[in-house]
Amino acid sequence: MSAVYDCGKRESRAEGLSAAAAAVRSSRLVVLPTDTVYGIGADAFDSGAVQALLRAKNRGPDMPVGVLVGSWSTVDGLVLGVPPQARALIEAFWPGDLSIVLPHAPSLQWNLGNSRGTVMLRMPLHPVALELLRDVGPMAVSSANVSGRPPASTAEEAQEQLGDSVSVYLDGGSSGEAVASSIVDLTGDKPVVLREGAVTKAAIAEVIGVAEETLD
C-alpha cells in the first residue's frame, strides 16, 4: 500500500521525507517533485531497485535512467573527470533544468541500463528533492509516468499511472507546465545537445563558448 505525504505542510513534509529515505534505503521506489516534472526514483547503486523502476514504467534498459544529485561536489565521485565545459555548465545552471552526460567512473557498481559507460547527471532546483538527495545520496530518477504516457505534473497524476509499484509519494504541489530538462552530451569530441528543453541551446553555447549551430 502506497503512502502519500503533503510536503506543503511542515509536519507532513518531515514525515514524508523520513519515509521516503527509509524506502530508498530498503530498495523501494519513491515519487518526488522536481523543478521540471515529477520523478520516480530509487537508490542509484541498487540494481534491483533500478530494475523495479524500469518495470514500473514498463520500460527496457535501452533507455538508461539518469541520476539526480544533491550537490555539485557529488559529481566528482561519480564520473571519470569533470572537464572545464561541464564545470562551467554546472556553475551556470545547477541546481536547475540542465542534464549533463559524462563518462562515469569505472569503479562504480551500478546498472542504470544500457548506458555504454556514461551517466546523465542533474541537480534539481526543488527543496524537497534536494533534501531527500542530501539524505540518501545519488538517486536514479526518471519521469514519473508509464512509458508512452504524459509525464506527471502532480503527485496525483503519478499515482494514477504508477499505483502501488511506488511505496512513497511526496506531494509538492503542481510542477506547472511539463517542461523537461535540456540534455548536453559531453562524452564525445564536441558538446552535443541531445534535447533542448528548459535551457536553450543559445544559453548553453554562450556558457561554454561555442557557436550554437555546433551543438547539433
Side-chain angles (χ1 to χ4, degrees):
M1 184 70 177
S2 302
V4 182
Y5 296 89
D6 181 356
C7 293
K9 300 176 181 177
R10 182 181 299 177
E11 289 185 6
S12 181
R13 170 175 165 160
E15 186 180 355
L17 283 164
S18 177
V24 171
R25 294 188 177 107
S26 300
S27 303
R28 291 176 286 144
L29 305 179
V30 303
V31 158
L32 63 156
T34 78
D35 47 343
T36 54
V37 294
Y38 271 72
I40 176 174
D43 181 347
F45 301 103
D46 187 329
S47 296
V50 175
Q51 292 306 306
L53 185 158
L54 291 172
R55 286 195 300 273
K57 286 179 61 71
N58 193 26
R59 176 167 136 183
D62 53 309
M63 295 178 65
V65 183
V67 172
L68 295 187
V69 297
S71 70
W72 291 6
S73 60
T74 305
V75 173
D76 294 298
L78 301 179
V79 300
L80 201 54
V82 183
Q85 288 180 326
R87 192 73 67 186
L89 290 170
I90 287 170
E91 291 177 358
F93 298 114
W94 282 16
D97 301 341
L98 183 71
S99 298
I100 302 173
V101 182
L102 291 166
H104 73 67
S107 60
L108 293 181
Q109 299 298 312
W110 59 11
N111 182 9
L112 302 169
N114 299 334
S115 61
R116 298 175 176 83
T118 69
V119 61
M120 183 173 70
L121 298 167
R122 189 168 82 88
M123 181 181 175
L125 181 59
H126 195 289
V128 173
L130 287 174
E131 191 168 343
L132 179 60
L133 290 163
R134 288 167 181 167
D135 186 1
V136 302
M139 290 180 63
V141 178
S142 182
S143 56
N145 61 295
V146 174
S147 288
R149 296 183 62 185
S153 59
T154 66
E156 183 180 18
E157 289 176 4
Q159 191 173 21
E160 287 172 358
Q161 296 192 48
L162 299 169
D164 288 340
S165 62
V166 171
S167 294
V168 174
Y169 289 85
L170 298 177
D171 186 349
S174 174
S175 63
E177 187 179 355
V179 179
S181 67
S182 298
I183 303 174
V184 181
D185 186 344
L186 296 178
T187 63
D189 295 332
K190 69 180 189 70
V192 176
V193 172
L194 301 180
R195 179 175 73 197
E196 184 174 20
V199 179
T200 66
K201 282 185 183 178
I204 294 166
E206 181 178 358
V207 167
I208 58 178
V210 301
E212 183 179 346
E213 57 269 20
T214 68
L215 295 174
D216 294 324

